[in-house]
Amino acid sequence: MKVIEKDTDELKLAKWWEPTDSNKILCTLCPRYCKIGEGQPGFCYIRQNHNGKLYTIGYGRPTGFAIDPVEKKPLNHFLPGTAILSFGTAGCNLGCKFCQNWSISKAKLDDFNALISSPEDVIMLAKRYSTPSIAYTYNDPTIFGEYVIDISKIARQEGINSVMVTAGYIDKDARKDVYKYIDAANVDLKGFTERFYNKLTFSHLTDVLDTLVWLKNETDIWFEITTLLIPDENDSPEEIKRESDWILENLGDSIPLHFTAFHPDFRMMDKPHTPAETLTTARNIALETGIKFVYVGNVHDLEGQTTYCPNCNTKLIKRDWHSVLSNKIVDSKCYKCKAVVPGIFN
Ligand code: SF4
């Protein structure tokens, strides 16, 4: 794929790349490790080789902003009921056939008439709308890591949180840079077989598991996990059980896990919507395995969207879809038995 001629004076030089012997550039930002020829983009489109250097053409070019509830990311244990300024860019480093956001992730910047927004502009927007957090979301923010770093660094100074909504498909060294000023993340664990990752996302499960273990063991970042259940692809009780066992063993019992409903989209129009019973079955399997906070999403299910006290089982946060109906957590504790609820609540 050829890219449109660029005036490199206007472009942001990328981090995480090196030249190769074959006159190509090796991008080391994600485990795809694209070798990119002159005038060409990498798989994610927004990292491009111009005159032997790698540029990030998504830098400062959001495809649009929205104010979302933080529950939409989804994050249920991070400042519940608050608003979050959300944006993404064009492009993506995964190739999910079921992408639920494909009009953004598969777009080229020129298709999108992207905005021009400096990191300071993004901070100004968060302040104008009084959102306590900014989400890097919609496409995968890994691919605009330089922009994430510059925004989240200022956000940290200004007391604004930064949230990555990501597939977690990122190089081990690059993630230390990209997540330096990140406060929370939701990581998609898209399935629990290499077959699924390979065939339907063009990526690899092991790299994502590695990022999850790194987040748990090497950082203080609050994170939650989402699995979009697709009928007959990743929704078998056996696969859910193996995923739950792995989470319990490697991440513990307190990382919230969200099972969300798929709708037919992009290159996967032949599958039906996920039945609500499938989500409930998955939730029950994870709870029985020992994971304490398991939620369902993209459906109305008061039971499956409630946060219960991990000690006395009192209903603490009632939700409907992305709305918080009531919140009885006080100082990060159950109002009744005073047990600590894992998360960031104030
Ligand atoms: S970030 Fe983009 S260009 Fe770099 S390796 Fe990943 S897909 Fe390829």
Side-chain angles (χ1 to χ4, degrees), residues 112-274:
F112 232 98
N113 216 356
L115 307 167
I116 297 177
S117 302
S118 69
E120 290 78 10
D121 292 337
V122 178
I123 300 295
M124 193 184 66
L125 267 182
K127 285 182 167 175
R128 182 182 299 164
Y129 290 98
S130 301
T131 60
S133 314
I134 297 168
Y136 313 95
T137 180
Y138 302 138
N139 62 336
D140 200 299
T142 294
I143 64 168
F144 57 92
E146 297 87 350
Y147 196 29
V148 169
I149 293 170
D150 288 356
I151 298 168
S152 59
K153 185 175 180 185
I154 307 174
R156 174 75 50 95
Q157 290 160 0
E158 298 284 343
I160 298 168
N161 300 292
S162 284
V163 173
M164 293 282 278
V165 181
T166 178
Y169 195 58
I170 185 167
D171 173 78
K172 288 179 170 55
D173 289 328
R175 72 189 172 198
K176 292 181 200 154
D177 301 332
V178 174
Y179 283 76
K180 188 165 181 190
Y181 305 105
I182 296 298
D183 299 284
N186 187 292
V187 181
D188 274 347
L189 181 51
K190 292 175 184 280
F192 210 70
T193 61
E194 177 57 22
R195 180 206 68 84
F196 180 93
Y197 263 87
N198 197 4
K199 185 177 132 205
L200 297 179
T201 76
F202 302 138
S203 65
H204 299 289
L205 172 61
T206 49
D207 296 295
V208 179
L209 299 183
D210 193 76
T211 294
L212 288 168
V213 171
W214 173 78
L215 280 168
K216 173 71 183 169
N217 293 341
E218 311 282 333
T219 78
D220 293 327
I221 296 168
W222 176 256
F223 69 99
E224 305 186 15
I225 296 171
T226 298
T227 302
L228 178 84
L229 292 181
I230 304 174
D232 296 330
E233 293 291 354
N234 62 356
D235 65 341
S236 74
E238 295 73 28
E239 189 167 335
I240 302 297
K241 176 66 177 150
R242 283 193 302 105
E243 175 179 337
S244 303
D245 283 341
W246 183 89
I247 291 172
L248 190 66
E249 187 178 332
N250 292 278
L251 308 176
D253 61 8
S254 298
I255 304 294
L257 173 60
H258 303 252
F259 291 111
T260 56
F262 157 91
H263 64 265
D265 217 333
F266 193 45
R267 299 208 170 113
M268 196 178 274
M269 301 301 293
D270 57 332
K271 296 279 179 190
H273 289 251
T274 311

